[in-house]
Amino acid sequence: MDEIIEHSEFGARKENKETILITGSSGLIGFSLIERLSKKYRVVGLDRLGPPYPPLQAECVNFDITDEKAIDAAMERIRYGYGSKIASVIHLAAYYDFGTKDSPKYQEINVKGTEKFLRQLQDFEVGQFIFSSSNLIYKPTEPGTKLNEDCPVEANWGYPESKIQTEDLIKEHSTNFPSVFLRIAGVYTDYGHSIPILQQIKRIYEKQLLGHFYSGDVNHGDVFVHLEDVVNAIEDSVERRQEIPDQMAFNIGEPTSPTYQELQDTIGNLIHGKDWETYEIPKPLAKAGAWTRDLVGDPFIKPWMIDRSGAHYELDVSRAKEYLDWEPKHRVMDTLPKMITGLKENPDQWYAKNNLEK
């Protein structure tokens, strides 16, 4: 006689937990966010078919954000399994490529894909829509002058331009639910993962001649933020969704920005025990060199990057402190020793984990 298996009457839909929907759920931020939020919420991940996959704490629903029929099918699966009420939608899915200044995918995925996704959400009871934007949408500033959320925006390449357009799109289309814009700085971890920092470390570790030259002002710098602090900011946004005014933007980054020279010297000392000599070169010369190298290979530094080298960003994060009770607990300059330790202890593993070629 076959054994009778009794199934629980309480499936995921009947759990006494609110539902969170995360797009781009298998990415760096999405993966960590699921591990955090699943302790309190039912989390559903939306992402492309195939690896990598989100952690097991979330159901993975495959969808193609460029295909409205695929989005509709994914949302019907969510409605069937979890109902039509979603506490928060966290929209992380986006296209990003350092290798190209402009790509049709910026419009196809970031802008038009979000528009299609928003249309499908109109049939759901959404408590909040969180959009992961970027600090790169701002017009660069000068050292000592911080950028607040009301500062002018200015995009000089495809990625930040798509973020500006998508913010405007959400303001226009998310009329049925409140929206939040998190303008996130360059994300790093204890092991690396920030592409600009990784490339800087790589050039110095390998003692590349190119690593001694920079086409921008070495006393300017970018703003960064640790992955753990980003996850904290998103969690805080979800927890305080009833209190945050609609369409409010928050800067999510560290309050101080290390200069390019400070990064160079710190990395040089950590790896080679001395400051790393760095020389500024004229942009036309740097662009000619980048163009030549691009003809014979696939270098990280592309000619279009030369124009924006030396752009300076400093963020005022006081609004996030006021409304989210959030402030970063990490500093990139304090984390660099951990990154370099990982590199020194096992270079092959460090390169592989950070998707770098030796």
Side-chain angles (χ1 to χ4, degrees), residues 116-248:
K116 294 172 183 176
F117 184 44
L118 286 170
R119 279 201 294 265
Q120 294 295 329
L121 286 175
Q122 300 306 311
D123 294 332
F124 286 77
E125 297 177 57
V126 178
Q128 175 193 56
F129 186 89
I130 298 176
F131 177 61
S132 61
S133 190
S134 170
N135 77 285
L136 296 175
I137 70 172
Y138 292 116
K139 181 179 180 180
T141 185
E142 293 294 327
T145 302
K146 293 183 180 292
L147 295 160
N148 63 46
E149 292 83 354
D150 297 320
C151 283
V153 297
E154 178 185 89
N156 56 12
W157 61 294
Y159 176 71
E161 176 62 29
S162 72
K163 290 294 185 180
I164 293 172
Q165 292 179 20
T166 306
E167 282 199 18
D168 292 339
L169 181 75
I170 294 168
K171 291 173 184 177
E172 179 182 350
H173 286 80
S174 63
T175 54
N176 290 352
F177 41 81
S179 53
V180 178
F181 306 100
L182 301 183
R183 294 170 179 170
I184 302 172
V187 181
Y188 67 92
T189 69
D190 287 354
Y191 212 74
H193 287 100
S194 166
I195 295 176
I197 292 178
L198 290 176
Q199 290 293 330
Q200 205 166 346
I201 292 173
K202 182 177 186 290
R203 290 191 294 266
I204 293 174
Y205 177 71
E206 296 176 359
K207 297 183 178 180
Q208 295 181 18
L209 179 62
L210 185 64
H212 288 284
F213 299 97
Y214 188 57
S215 58
D217 189 331
V218 295
N219 294 310
H220 286 189
D222 287 327
V223 59
F224 299 96
V225 63
H226 195 283
L227 173 62
E228 184 177 299
D229 288 323
V230 175
V231 172
N232 288 342
I234 297 175
E235 182 181 31
D236 291 340
S237 300
V238 173
E239 292 290 302
R240 291 168 172 78
R241 61 188 180 278
Q242 305 294 342
E243 307 157 24
I244 302 173
D246 186 19
Q247 299 187 355
M248 177 157 282

